[in-house]
Amino acid sequence: MKIGVLVSGRGSNLQALIDSSRIKKMLAVVISNKPGVLALERAQKAGIPVEVLEANKGEKREAYDQRLASLLQRYQIELVVLAGFMRVLSPSFVSLFKNRIINIHPSLLPSFPGLEAQKQALEAGVSTSGCTVHFVDEGCDTGSVILQKEVPVKPDDTVETLSARILIEEHKLLPKVVDLLARNKVKVIGRKVEIEE
Ligand code: GAR
């Protein structure tokens, strides 16, 4: 399976994919919407082709996503992994790659979608948060959940300490889901996901 990873920044989740030798072989391209980010360095170091696709000034979301889709198709990408990719994808892009785009999010969805999920969890006063890998649909973090992992929230947590504790689990969860998808163990029935193991 040819995988394209979309990134915007640090790329620690990308690194977790690179660190799995089985998955690394499938990483066909890493695309960043921002130049000069650490994620690109990580990909280059691992010998994975990289592309920077910046949005042009005033460019409509659909136009950007069309360029993104063409780039992914040029690499014959079958699975798109959003690993800290901080752009919302348009419905036409999502339908082009239906059930072939996954995202990692630092909360137990449907709680705390969107930006600053860890801060939202702290402000809500929950005692448990976590991370979710889900299929991407037309909404913001609303697609079917594939797998989740719970993480405790401690009374003295800051955004930094909670984020770090969740990140450790993200780095296990994302490769696990990618491996399941690569082995065709994930079935989508309507909105529900079944894992065959
Ligand atoms: C991760 O915590 C990821 O879950 C989050 O951004 C971080 C990226 O870190 N994604 C979102 O919040 C998406 N809504 P990384 O670049 O080191 O993988």
Side-chain angles (χ1 to χ4, degrees), residues 13 17 79-83 101-109 130-136 141 143-149 169-181 186 193 195:
N13 278 292
L17 298 176
L79 175 70
V80 180
V81 177
L82 311 187
I101 313 168
I102 62 168
N103 178 44
I104 176 106
H105 183 78
S107 76
L108 295 177
L109 291 171
C131 50
T132 303
V133 178
H134 64 95
F135 284 113
V136 173
D141 300 326
S144 302
V145 169
I146 307 173
L147 280 182
Q148 294 184 305
K149 177 72 184 179
E169 298 305 328
E170 292 186 39
H171 295 164
K172 297 179 205 160
L173 197 67
L174 185 60
K176 187 172 175 182
V177 172
V178 169
D179 185 61
L180 286 168
L181 285 162
V186 181
V193 170
I195 312 281

Side-chain angles (χ1 to χ4, degrees), residues 7-15 39 42 82-86 103-107 113-118 131-132 140-141 163 166-167 170-171:
V7 295
S8 300
R10 180 179 54 182
S12 70
N13 278 292
L14 165 67
Q15 190 65 53
R42 294 182 194 266
L82 311 187
F85 185 64
M86 294 310 196
N103 178 44
I104 176 106
H105 183 78
S107 76
L115 294 175
E116 301 187 320
Q118 303 92 334
C131 50
T132 303
C140 177
D141 300 326
S163 300
I166 294 174
L167 199 61
E170 292 186 39
H171 295 164

Side-chain angles (χ1 to χ4, degrees), residues 3-11 13-14 17 27 29-34 37 39-40 51-53 64-65 67-69 71-72 75 77 79-89 93 97 100-104 136 174:
I3 300 171
V5 184
L6 307 189
V7 295
S8 300
R10 180 179 54 182
N13 278 292
L14 165 67
L17 298 176
L27 301 179
V29 65
V30 170
I31 303 172
S32 174
N33 65 319
K34 290 192 181 148
V37 293
L40 289 168
E51 301 276 357
V52 176
L53 193 71
Y64 177 89
D65 286 359
R67 293 198 291 130
L68 181 59
L71 192 53
L72 290 164
Y75 284 91
I77 294 306
L79 175 70
V80 180
V81 177
L82 311 187
F85 185 64
M86 294 310 196
R87 280 184 66 93
V88 174
L89 295 164
F93 182 94
F97 289 93
R100 292 189 295 134
I101 313 168
I102 62 168
N103 178 44
I104 176 106
V136 173
L174 185 60

